[in-house]
Amino acid sequence: MPSTLEGQITMEKTPSYFVTNHAPKRIHSMARDIKLIIVVRNPVTRAISDYTQTLSKKPEIPTFEVLAFKNRTLGLIDASWSALRIGIYALHLESWMQYFPLSQMHFVSGERLIVDPAGEMAKVQDFLGLKRIVTDKHFYFNKTKGFPCLKKPEDSSTPRCLGKSKGRTHPKIDTDVIRRLHKFYKPFNMMFYQMTGQNFEWELEEDSESRGSQD
């Protein structure tokens, strides 16, 4: 990590940290007072998004339905498949809580980040002890991608939007598979809500993944 002067905050982003077993211990040994920001979304939507990304690079891979089950007839879900395993947030959070208190963690709702980016960024800035510099005027919604883009209100430069790998239309997944995955994740979600003290309300979205959504 680069040197940080007084009055500065150094930030670094690597999504795989949260699901890497040895990451909490190594980060704690480097900077035990570090603040951690974790962005989470409905694990079912997240798994489909993960699959969509892989499919774009490897179009020959089996269908989502095939990869998600050890035995579909018996309803045995393959939790060892990384696309599904990553979404068991409670399991990963347990590893982090062995080294860091919840007071050093801030959880961002991926769903709310899309519909209210300024609101979520206000919470992040408060968590980091920063002035609320980033506000509504820094965002506009890109209807093509289905995501908000960041802009600088003081100039006319081109807004910064998510790259080409984001905003892909998800493949249509069998509704029975969606239902089974929601049932699989529900106890883990409940545990995660209890651990974080936040209700992300993913159970209210059980019908949304069966319709066309975006990555």
Side-chain angles (χ1 to χ4, degrees):
M1 298 291 283
S3 297
T4 304
L5 301 176
E6 187 175 348
Q8 290 184 324
I9 292 179
T10 299
M11 302 188 73
E12 196 269 350
K13 174 183 75 74
T14 301
S16 61
Y17 284 158
F18 187 57
V19 298
T20 302
N21 291 334
H22 57 263
K25 183 177 180 180
R26 294 181 65 184
I27 291 175
H28 184 265
S29 65
M30 181 197 75
R32 64 181 58 201
D33 295 326
I34 199 168
K35 290 188 175 182
L36 304 162
I37 300 172
I38 303 103
V39 183
V40 290
R41 67 190 297 196
N42 185 320
V44 178
T45 313
R46 201 221 67 81
I48 297 171
S49 173
D50 192 320
Y51 174 79
T52 303
Q53 294 277 7
T54 305
L55 184 64
S56 69
K57 300 169 186 173
K58 300 177 180 178
E60 73 281 1
I61 63 171
T63 64
F64 181 92
E65 289 85 346
V66 168
L67 293 170
F69 289 91
K70 289 181 179 179
N71 186 316
R72 188 172 175 184
T73 303
L74 297 177
L76 297 176
I77 288 172
D78 188 357
S80 67
W81 181 32
S82 63
L84 297 184
R85 182 178 58 81
I86 290 172
I88 307 176
Y89 303 132
L91 179 67
H92 309 305
L93 182 56
E94 281 184 342
S95 299
W96 288 89
M97 291 181 71
Q98 291 177 30
Y99 294 93
F100 297 97
L102 275 176
S103 59
Q104 285 176 231
M105 303 182 199
H106 178 73
F107 299 89
V108 176
S109 163
E111 287 81 15
R112 288 196 291 270
L113 187 60
I114 293 173
V115 298
D116 182 21
E120 285 301 304
M121 286 305 300
K123 296 174 188 175
V124 168
Q125 290 170 100
D126 290 347
F127 172 67
L128 295 175
L130 300 172
K131 289 183 180 179
R132 291 189 176 185
I133 301 296
V134 180
T135 61
D136 278 327
K137 63 185 180 182
H138 290 86
F139 297 97
Y140 89 94
F141 192 78
N142 184 311
K143 293 182 179 179
T144 302
K145 280 190 168 293
F147 287 102
C149 295
L150 190 64
K151 63 180 180 179
K152 293 182 179 180
E154 65 273 11
D155 61 39
S156 57
S157 59
T158 304
R160 294 186 61 183
C161 295
L162 294 171
K164 294 180 180 179
S165 65
K166 297 294 182 180
R168 291 193 180 97
T169 301
H170 290 173
K172 183 171 174 58
I173 308 299
D174 188 296
T175 54
D176 180 62
V177 171
I178 298 291
R179 182 183 60 79
R180 287 171 184 255
L181 286 176
H182 275 294
K183 186 177 180 180
F184 166 76
Y185 278 119
K186 187 172 183 177
F188 297 112
N189 290 345
M190 294 297 112
M191 194 183 306
F192 184 64
Y193 298 169
Q194 189 172 24
M195 293 168 77
T196 61
Q198 291 181 238
N199 184 347
F200 293 90
E201 300 183 336
W202 292 321
E203 287 64 42
L204 301 178
E205 303 170 27
E206 291 193 12
D207 296 326
S208 64
E209 286 80 14
S210 61
R211 298 190 292 271
S213 59
Q214 289 190 312
D215 175 17

